[in-house]
Amino acid sequence: MHSLVDGQWRRNAYRATDESGEFQRQETSFRDRIEADPDAQFPAESGRYHLYVSWACPWAHRTLVTRALKGLEDAITVDVVDPVRRVDGWEFAPEKEGCTPDTVNGADKLREVYTAADPEFTGRVTVPVLWDKERGTIVNNESEEIMRMLDVAMHDVAADDVDLYPEGYRDEVDRIIDEIYDPINNGVYRAGFASSQSAYESAIDDLFGALDRWDDVLADQRYLAGDVLTEADVAMFTTLIRFDEVYHTHFKCNVARITDYPNLWNYLKELYQLPGVAETVRMDHIKNHYYESHRDLNPGGKVPVGPDPDFDASHDRDELPGGPPEALQR
Ligand SMILES: N[C@@H](CCC(=O)N[C@@H](CS)C(=O)NCC(=O)O)C(=O)O
């Protein structure tokens, strides 16, 4: 895999799998925080922060869904990279549909944003990136932490009163985000990038075991943490929405589709139909990214035409107690 080493771009700088063929995701590196306190190093302010994302990336997608649900579109600007990642890593391709230039730093490649923050940076150049326009640096590039900052620290600058980390549910939300990461969110990658049969099968067992369990839970519970919508649902959503179109085929997660699970499928449609969420789902970028970037898995780069699930079809979730926050009931 390609990455920066002491500020220099190195191709094939590291292996993504260990000796047993298990996929190992490397830690992210910028871990500062926006805080609600006006005296903080990174205080919550409208217009000050910027997100670099790919529509394709499930981790970046978490930050876009949170931004949409909370009505942070005017407070936080966004630039979008080319969905196809090549030997130079993420690049800007403003001429492509759905992409933008780098409107903040004028970079051609996302790695220039990393070296602008730290000229000696060593590590992966990943999306999402949360950039502070005032200090001219990266605040954080870990999606779970960015999602939490947008949700909690930026709450007072958000247009909609939507709390995705409500008091009384916080431990449960943290527990679930943690619990679904390994088998589900990262599980699809563990299956797709496994370089041995045993590593692949172990990822598949974990993945479908967890999906079976959550399908049962969602039979009589509206959302993952109970009757309220939380960050845990955002974390689950960005994996489920890619599942049938990409992971099922490209990562060989083909024991079942999400549309085969009655409760997960209806739950997914409900989340997709919440105000602002569908606009964050660019399936063209999602499919082009995976099928064209990972040429080791898909040498011809052909993008499958199907199965095109109907995320707008009606769902049955209103039969269960609870529901979205009032600000989203429109
Ligand atoms: N832990 C990070 C992971 C982000 C991540 O791995 N993003 C992928 C895209 S889906 C990426 O940018 N990969 C580029 C690379 O690894 O070189 C997060 O959740 O923010």
Side-chain angles (χ1 to χ4, degrees):
M1 301 282 273
H2 317 310
S3 69
L4 281 166
V5 178
D6 299 330
Q8 303 296 315
W9 187 246
R10 294 278 170 76
R11 293 183 183 175
N12 304 315
Y14 68 93
R15 274 167 56 97
T17 49
D18 65 13
E19 301 73 39
S20 65
E22 302 255 5
F23 172 63
Q24 304 293 338
R25 186 177 293 277
Q26 297 206 334
E27 290 278 314
T28 44
S29 25
F30 293 95
R31 310 298 284 268
D32 283 313
R33 306 259 176 170
I34 296 175
E35 293 170 66
D37 174 5
D39 297 323
Q41 192 186 10
F42 299 104
E45 277 172 26
S46 184
R48 174 164 174 165
Y49 299 98
H50 183 74
L51 279 170
Y52 290 104
V53 300
S54 161
W55 293 119
C57 168
W59 318 105
H61 196 183
R62 295 170 166 194
T63 68
L64 291 169
V65 173
T66 308
R67 174 176 174 266
L69 291 175
K70 295 195 65 87
L72 281 165
E73 288 94 337
D74 292 338
I76 301 173
T77 48
V78 174
D79 284 334
V80 180
V81 296
D82 185 338
V84 183
R85 202 175 65 224
R86 302 179 184 81
V87 289
D88 278 319
W90 295 113
E91 297 178 81
F92 295 94
E95 69 288 355
K96 281 198 181 174
E97 168 71 22
C99 298
T100 69
D102 173 357
T103 59
V104 173
N105 288 292
D108 292 326
K109 300 175 180 27
L110 187 66
R111 69 181 195 239
E112 297 160 36
V113 172
Y114 276 73
T115 51
D118 174 4
E120 299 299 315
F121 179 76
T122 294
R124 295 196 303 147
V125 173
T126 55
V127 284
V129 173
L130 181 67
W131 179 268
D132 176 6
K133 296 182 216 172
E134 192 153 313
R135 285 183 177 258
T137 194
I138 295 175
V139 183
N140 194 298
N141 67 337
E142 174 56 49
S143 60
E144 210 173 295
E145 294 175 3
I146 300 173
M147 175 167 68
R148 178 67 43 83
M149 286 178 241
L150 303 197
D151 185 19
V152 179
M154 298 286 282
H155 188 76
D156 288 346
V157 300
D160 295 331
D161 185 17
V162 172
D163 180 1
L164 300 168
Y165 193 51
E167 296 283 356
Y169 288 85
R170 294 187 163 188
D171 289 347
E172 187 65 353
V173 171
D174 287 336
R175 194 189 60 71
I176 295 169
I177 290 176
D178 201 43
E179 185 188 312
I180 64 176
Y181 175 80
D182 195 54
I184 298 178
N185 305 128
N186 201 40
V188 292
Y189 287 87
R190 286 172 50 220
F193 291 135
S195 61
S196 68
Q197 183 67 23
S198 61
Y200 162 71
E201 286 184 15
S202 137
I204 289 292
D205 278 355
D206 292 349
L207 170 63
F208 286 95
L211 291 176
D212 291 350
R213 273 197 309 284
W214 282 108
D215 191 60
D216 284 346
V217 170
L218 290 171
D220 36 36
Q221 186 176 302
R222 186 137 175 180
Y223 304 110
L224 299 191
D227 52 6
V228 296
L229 180 75
T230 69
E231 290 172 19
D233 299 299
V234 177
M236 182 68 114
F237 173 76
T238 66
T239 295
L240 295 187
I241 198 79
R242 287 160 175 73
F243 202 95
D244 293 4
E245 292 276 43
V246 175
Y247 303 144
H248 181 277
T249 304
H250 187 59
F251 283 168
K252 299 187 170 69
C253 299
N254 64 353
V255 174
R257 293 198 171 97
I258 300 305
T259 50
D260 299 326
Y261 284 102
N263 304 309
L264 282 171
W265 173 225
N266 277 289
Y267 164 81
L268 174 59
K269 284 183 286 187
E270 183 192 0
L271 299 181
Y272 178 82
Q273 292 168 26
L274 289 172
V277 173
E279 290 76 8
T280 69
V281 179
R282 288 285 309 234
M283 202 52 87
D284 53 342
H285 280 231
I286 293 173
K287 292 179 80 163
N288 289 346
H289 165 68
Y290 285 93
Y291 291 110
E292 292 183 49
S293 301
H294 306 145
R295 290 303 176 100
D296 42 345
L297 299 185
N298 187 35
K302 288 192 295 294
V303 181
V305 174
D308 197 17
D310 183 5
F311 300 116
D312 280 313
S314 60
H315 65 79
D316 63 6
R317 306 301 287 169
D318 290 326
E319 292 164 16
L320 291 168
E326 231 175 87
L328 296 176
Q329 293 178 16
R330 43 185 150 98

